[in-house]
Amino acid sequence: DSGVTQTPKHLITATGQRVTLRCSPRSGDLSVYWYQQSLDQGLQFLIQYYNGEERAKGNILERFSAQQFPDLHSELNLSSLELGDSALYFCASSVGDTPRDIQYFGAGTRLSVL
Amino acid sequence: DAKTTQPNSMESNEEEPVHLPCNHSTISGTDYIHWYRQLPSQGPEYVIHGLTSNVNNRMASLAIAEDRKSSTLILHRATLRDAAVYYCILRPISGGYQKVTFGTGTKLQVIP
């Protein structure tokens, strides 16, 4: 158990809809990262938050947004969903924001857009 | 930006050592080299990381070439549980996490 909790585990929705994925980081971790992994593909970095503020932005679509709350949990909002958004979405957390920091990953949320 | 190259797949016999290579010929002097692995149906997990010197931990060893243009993750005795996709990742000191470089991963198959 990594200590990172993601909910829900599975999500099935229709095109055009909006969903929210939730991530609770390990206790004491200030950084949260979101990743997308399409079928049999590698990890695609989406966005990072550190202590409530956006710290780095990767290949995140404009239809997607995220935030980190004062209790450090984070949410990833996906709107106007398309078939191609079907993927595994992982959240990871780390203590800080240095290149030495180890990331701990959650089990992921599997999103299916029908 | 730096790039990493990994073989798509490798095979190993159980209880034998495994050497997983990563080529990063455009690495900058301040990029950290991280390795993560992803077991089937799980989130990635940390394996090891280093900057210039070779590193050992309970899971594996990381051998970094003197010129840092390549590195090798060494599993000393492969077990069936080591069957996973192994990712080589470069994390720069400056420029923010958006400068991170992910390898495409090597799928390791362990043969009993």
Side-chain angles (χ1 to χ4, degrees):
Chain A
D1 182 7
S2 67
V4 177
T5 304
Q6 288 188 250
T7 56
K9 285 188 168 34
H10 302 277
L11 204 45
I12 301 174
T13 188
T15 55
Q17 295 298 304
R18 172 189 168 96
V19 297
T20 298
L21 312 184
R22 182 187 168 102
C23 171
S24 294
R26 288 190 330 151
S27 175
D29 284 0
L30 298 179
S31 267
V32 170
Y33 308 78
W34 286 98
Y35 296 87
Q36 180 191 59
Q37 187 174 44
S38 301
L39 189 63
D40 292 332
Q41 299 291 309
L43 292 165
Q44 183 98 279
F45 166 63
L46 296 178
I47 197 164
Q48 177 204 2
Y49 279 82
Y50 177 77
N51 204 20
E53 295 190 1
E54 181 184 304
R55 185 58 69 97
K57 212 168 198 177
N59 298 318
I60 187 166
L61 299 172
E62 283 192 16
R63 300 183 284 109
F64 296 0
S65 65
Q67 54 183 324
Q68 186 179 28
F69 294 87
D71 67 354
L72 300 177
H73 91 271
S74 178
E75 292 181 356
L76 178 67
N77 300 298
L78 315 176
S79 61
S80 302
L81 285 167
E82 301 175 0
L83 295 177
D85 296 327
S86 296
L88 269 168
Y89 291 84
F90 288 106
C91 162
S93 73
S94 64
V95 169
D97 182 31
T98 79
R100 293 178 298 278
D101 287 326
I102 295 168
Q103 290 187 24
Y104 295 87
F105 284 77
T109 292
R110 182 175 295 279
L111 174 66
S112 298
V113 182
L114 306 178
Chain B
D1 289 350
K3 277 191 68 174
T4 62
T5 305
Q6 300 179 253
N8 286 335
S9 62
M10 290 184 65
E11 273 185 9
S12 173
N13 293 320
E14 196 177 8
E15 297 192 5
E16 289 192 356
V18 183
H19 291 233
L20 297 160
C22 181
N23 182 286
H24 31 76
S25 58
T26 56
I27 191 172
S28 95
T30 53
D31 288 352
Y32 275 78
I33 302 162
H34 286 246
W35 284 81
Y36 283 73
R37 71 180 185 182
Q38 187 172 17
L39 278 63
S41 303
Q42 294 190 28
E45 65 175 355
Y46 168 79
V47 178
I48 201 165
H49 76 279
L51 182 61
T52 55
S53 305
N54 295 343
V55 184
N56 299 299
N57 66 21
R58 64 173 181 81
M59 285 182 74
S61 295
L62 176 60
I64 301 173
E66 204 168 318
D67 62 6
R68 299 204 338 120
K69 292 184 186 298
S70 66
S71 60
T72 302
L73 178 69
I74 303 165
L75 307 179
H76 297 286
R77 284 178 74 241
T79 68
L80 296 178
R81 196 194 173 277
D82 292 322
V85 178
Y86 288 78
Y87 293 100
C88 169
I89 299 164
L90 302 183
R91 288 198 61 175
I93 280 183
S94 61
Y97 193 73
Q98 59 265 28
K99 296 289 186 184
V100 68
T101 302
F102 286 90
T104 49
T106 297
K107 186 170 186 175
L108 176 65
Q109 183 181 359
V110 180
I111 301 166

